[in-house]
Amino acid sequence: MANYYASARSNYFKVKDAEAFKTWAASLPGLGVFEKPDDAEENPAWFAIYSDDGDSGSWPRWTTNEDGEDIEIDLPAELSEHLQEGEIAVLIEVGAEKLRYLCGHAVAVNWAGETEFLSLDRIYDLAFERWGIQPTDATY
């Protein structure tokens, strides 16, 4: 049996309150933050997030509350609350379970909490729509 290993990161985006954003990010297990200063002093820094999960490399999906209960994390929804108006964060994850399964997906979320999702598996539907032939899956 093989384990799934991924890499996950976002684009750079601006947030409403840098300290509140950093506090939120630090509260999530396995979430890291990149910070890039803006060129102009009056403008806030740019931020990106990444998976710092040494086990799977995936985006955090669960956390534990004070009572030890598991709580599901809706990362795009929580992140959108921190985005400046007009900003979009794109969260990308690619991974593999050896060569049995290769996968990749991305979600874009805007400051209002609206999302768009894209999976690499969509290529099978696109190929069928274009050529009328259903390709086999790239798995074993």
Side-chain angles (χ1 to χ4, degrees):
M1 178 163 202
N3 293 327
Y4 174 77
Y5 296 104
S7 295
R9 67 154 295 155
S10 75
N11 64 324
Y12 280 92
F13 48 82
K14 290 190 177 186
V15 297
K16 295 183 272 192
D17 180 333
E19 291 310 312
F21 169 74
K22 290 190 239 181
T23 299
W24 164 77
S27 75
L28 298 180
L31 189 68
V33 174
F34 295 126
E35 183 174 356
K36 181 169 65 169
D38 201 327
D39 294 334
E41 283 189 33
E42 67 276 1
N43 292 324
W46 292 87
F47 293 95
I49 58 175
Y50 63 95
S51 173
D52 196 19
D53 178 346
D55 187 28
S56 74
S58 295
W59 290 115
R61 291 178 173 84
W62 299 94
T63 190
T64 306
N65 68 13
E66 310 81 43
D67 298 326
E69 300 168 326
D70 287 337
I71 307 242
E72 190 171 2
I73 297 168
D74 185 343
L75 189 61
E78 291 186 26
L79 175 58
S80 73
E81 295 176 12
H82 294 278
L83 295 175
Q84 270 188 14
E85 186 170 339
E87 288 293 315
I88 296 172
V90 177
L91 310 176
I92 298 176
E93 180 176 319
V94 293
E97 182 184 316
K98 293 210 176 217
L99 283 178
R100 183 171 182 185
Y101 300 108
L102 304 175
C103 65
H105 55 268
V107 61
V109 60
N110 71 9
W111 73 100
E114 300 169 319
T115 60
E116 288 291 336
F117 179 82
L118 176 66
S119 171
L120 286 178
D121 286 341
R122 174 87 171 101
I123 194 63
Y124 300 108
D125 296 334
L126 293 173
F128 182 77
E129 291 168 13
R130 172 106 187 246
W131 298 299
I133 299 168
Q134 185 63 54
T136 62
D137 289 345
T139 62
Y140 70 90

